C-alpha cells in the first residue's frame, strides 16, 4: 500500500510523461494565453473602477459628515435690554434675544449704557423672586426692579439642573449680570430677599 506522498509523486511523474507524449498545439496555447491576458486586464480594470467608486463614496461620506456636524449658518441672536419705567417699580427691564437686529441701535446702546452705569461691577449679583408669567419669566427685586425675560433667553442662560426642576413655582434666585447689564446666569439664592417697603 502506498503512502499519500508516494501517490502524489507517482501522479506528478505520470502527468509529466503524458505531457511530453501529447504536447499542446501552438495555436491552442496562444489562444489560451491571449484569453488569460485579456481576463487579467479586465480584472485589473474592474479593481481600478471599484477603487475609484470606493474613494468617491468615502469622500462623499466625509463631506456629508462635515456638513452635518458643522453648525449650519445660524442666524445670530441679538441680546436686547429695553429699559422702561413702570409705576409699580423704579425700573423695568425687558431682556430678550432676537434674530432681528435692533432698529434703533443707538437708543438700545444708550439704554445698555445707562444700565451698565448703574451696575458698575464686572459681574453684578442680585437676589430676586423668579416667577413664570404667561409667555415670559420675571424677576422682581422688591419694588426697585422688574426684569422680564423671554423663554428663548431663559433657554440660553446658565441655569443649574436643580433650579430647572423647580421653575414652575416662584422662588428666590440670585441672578448675575455682566457690565452691559445682560443676564449671564441664574442660580438658587441662599436666602430670601427682605424688602424694606413690605
Amino acid at each position: 500500500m502506498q503512502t499519500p506522498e508516494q501517490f502524489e509523486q507517482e501522479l506528478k511523474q505520470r502527468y509529466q510523461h503524458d505531457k511530453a507524449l501529447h504536447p499542446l498545439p501552438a495555436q491552442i496555447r496562444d489562444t489560451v494565453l491571449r484569453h488569460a491576458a485579456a481576463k487579467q486586464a479586465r480584472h485589473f480594470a474592474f479593481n481600478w473602477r471599484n477603487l475609484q467608486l470606493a474613494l468617491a463614496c468615502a469622500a462623499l461620506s466625509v463631506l456629508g459628515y462635515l456638513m452635518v456636524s458643522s453648525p449650519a449658518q445660524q442666524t445670530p441672536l441679538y441680546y436686547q435690554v429695553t429699559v422702561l419705567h413702570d409705576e409699580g417699580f423704579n425700573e423695568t427691564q425687558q431682556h430678550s434675544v432676537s434674530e432681528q437686529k435692533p432698529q434703533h441701535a443707538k437708543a438700545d446702546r444708550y439704554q445698555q449704557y445707562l444700565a451698565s452705569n448703574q451696575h458698575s461691577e464686572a459681574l453684578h449679583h442680585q437676589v430676586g423672586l423668579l416667577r413664570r408669567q404667561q409667555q415670559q419669566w420675571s424677576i422682581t427685586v422688591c419694588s426697585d426692579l422688574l426684569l422680564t425675560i423671554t423663554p428663548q433667553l431663559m433657554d440660553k442662560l446658565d441655569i443649574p439642573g436643580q433650579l430647572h426642576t423647580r421653575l414652575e413655582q416662584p422662588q428666590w434666585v440670585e441672578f448675575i449680570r455682566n457690565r452691559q447689564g445682560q443676564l449671564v446666569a441664574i442660580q438658587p439664592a441662599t436666602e430670601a430677599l427682605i424688602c424694606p417697603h413690605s
Side-chain angles (χ1 to χ4, degrees):
M1 182 157 195
Q2 291 183 344
T3 63
E5 293 84 21
Q6 291 172 339
F7 178 73
E8 185 75 29
Q9 184 65 26
E10 186 179 335
L11 188 61
K12 282 182 184 179
Q13 286 174 355
R14 284 187 185 180
Y15 171 73
Q16 292 299 329
H17 181 266
D18 284 347
K19 186 176 168 185
L21 286 176
H22 307 289
L24 184 64
Q27 182 181 5
I28 294 175
R29 183 176 48 92
D30 291 342
T31 304
V32 169
L33 290 175
R34 266 184 287 150
H35 182 66
K39 200 172 194 179
Q40 200 172 31
R42 276 191 305 222
H43 183 69
F44 174 73
F46 180 72
N47 283 342
W48 178 245
R49 274 185 268 149
N50 282 350
L51 179 64
Q52 288 176 328
L53 181 62
L55 288 174
C57 288
L60 286 174
S61 297
V62 168
L63 183 62
Y65 173 76
L66 291 175
M67 289 178 66
V68 169
S69 67
S70 67
Q73 282 193 336
Q74 296 176 348
T75 307
L77 294 177
Y78 296 97
Y79 193 108
Q80 298 177 2
V81 178
T82 306
V83 179
L84 306 169
H85 293 286
D86 190 350
E87 291 179 19
F89 298 93
N90 292 341
E91 182 180 346
T92 302
Q93 297 180 1
Q94 291 178 335
H95 292 255
S96 63
V97 289
S98 172
E99 293 179 356
Q100 295 179 337
K101 197 170 188 176
Q103 293 178 352
H104 306 291
K106 287 183 182 179
D108 287 341
R109 280 196 297 254
Y110 179 69
Q111 288 176 349
Q112 288 178 1
Y113 171 74
L114 288 176
S116 68
N117 272 349
Q118 292 173 358
H119 315 288
S120 61
E121 297 178 20
L123 288 176
H124 185 71
H125 299 255
Q126 275 187 289
V127 174
L129 187 62
L130 174 69
R131 47 174 82 111
R132 183 177 181 98
Q133 300 173 338
Q134 298 164 350
Q135 296 298 320
Q136 64 185 5
W137 296 87
S138 70
I139 300 176
T140 55
V141 180
C142 298
S143 61
D144 296 332
L145 177 64
L146 171 66
L147 297 173
T148 57
I149 307 163
T150 62
Q152 296 88 355
L153 179 57
M154 281 296 279
D155 293 340
K156 302 272 183 221
L157 289 175
D158 181 19
I159 300 175
Q162 74 261 20
L163 186 60
H164 263 297
T165 59
R166 300 178 294 180
L167 283 179
E168 294 306 317
Q169 298 178 3
Q171 60 183 305
W172 291 101
V173 294
E174 180 179 21
F175 58 97
I176 304 166
R177 293 187 288 176
N178 64 12
R179 177 172 244 136
Q180 287 78 29
Q182 299 172 341
L183 287 174
V184 177
I186 297 175
Q187 59 193 22
T190 54
E191 55 186 50
L193 181 66
I194 299 172
C195 297
H197 306 292
S198 53

